[in-house]
Each structure stands twice: as C-alpha cells, then as structure tokens.
C-alpha cells in the first residue's frame, strides 16, 4: 500500500494521503544533543523542511527553536507518527522524540 506524504503551505503542515495531519506551532520534547545542550530540548516546531518514511514510521526534518536555551536550527529526521494498515497515527505530544541523522 502506498502512502502519499507532502509538506504543505510553505512548511506549515504535513499531509498524509491528502489529509493535513501534523502542524507547526507544537511543542515537542527532543532527546537531541546535536541540536542543543539541553538534556531534553523543548522544541517549538516552526517549519517542516521535508517529510519521509522509514518502514512504517513517518519522519520529518524540522526547523525550530528550543524554548529553554534559545538554540534554533534544523533537526535530523524526527518521528512524527506511524502508518499501520493504511491509517496514520500521530505520536503523542508528550512523547520524547529522538532524531536520527
């Protein structure tokens, strides 16, 4: 089964199968020592740079800012949700996410 992923509205949304599923302005907890020096970054998601899939995991590269230390930049590939049996499920907002590459 094919899943269509796109970044919409100049990076404001991630579309999964033509449905807007993940939006900017969320606060994500990141275990991302390459992003900033905080033990866990509190990242305000400002823009989706790109979106992809690794197996059943939907991932995005995100531009954002850590509200604890002020660091800004683009993350590695951060999981945003999963596709299971053709249905998308977003990660819980309270989940700690770990970027890859």
């Amino acid at each position: 089964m094919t899943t269509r992923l796109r970044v919409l509205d100049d990076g404001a949304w991630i579309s999964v199968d033509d449905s807007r599923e993940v939006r900017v302005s969320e606060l994500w907890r990141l275990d991302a020592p390459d992003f900033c020096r905080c033990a866990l970054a509190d990242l305000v998601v400002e823009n989706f740079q790109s979106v992809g899939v690794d197996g059943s995991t939907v991932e995005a590269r995100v531009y954002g800012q850590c509200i604890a230390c002020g660091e800004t930049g683009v993350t590695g590939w951060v999981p945003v949700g999963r596709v299971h049996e053709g249905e998308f499920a977003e990660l819980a907002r309270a989940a700690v996410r770990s970027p890859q590459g």
Side-chain angles (χ1 to χ4, degrees):
M1 179 174 287
T2 301
T3 300
R4 291 179 305 278
L5 301 172
R6 295 187 300 156
V7 175
L8 299 177
D9 300 332
D10 295 323
W13 288 92
I14 293 175
S15 169
V16 180
D17 289 331
D18 299 322
S19 177
R20 291 173 185 201
E21 297 288 350
V22 186
R23 66 182 175 90
V24 296
S25 301
E26 297 290 337
L27 181 64
W28 291 355
R29 302 290 314 255
L30 295 183
D31 181 5
D34 292 341
F35 184 79
C36 70
R37 295 182 185 193
C38 296
L40 288 177
D42 289 316
L43 184 80
V44 174
V45 176
E46 296 181 11
N47 185 270
F48 295 109
Q49 301 289 300
S50 54
V51 64
V53 67
D54 182 10
S56 63
T57 303
V58 177
E59 302 174 319
R61 291 183 57 93
V62 175
Y63 177 84
Q65 179 175 16
C66 176
I67 62 171
C69 71
E71 185 71 38
T72 62
V74 177
T75 67
W77 289 98
V78 178
V80 298
R82 297 183 67 77
V83 175
H84 179 68
E85 296 181 4
E87 296 293 320
F88 176 76
E90 187 175 355
L91 285 183
R93 288 191 172 62
V96 175
R97 302 160 195 246
S98 296
Q100 303 298 313

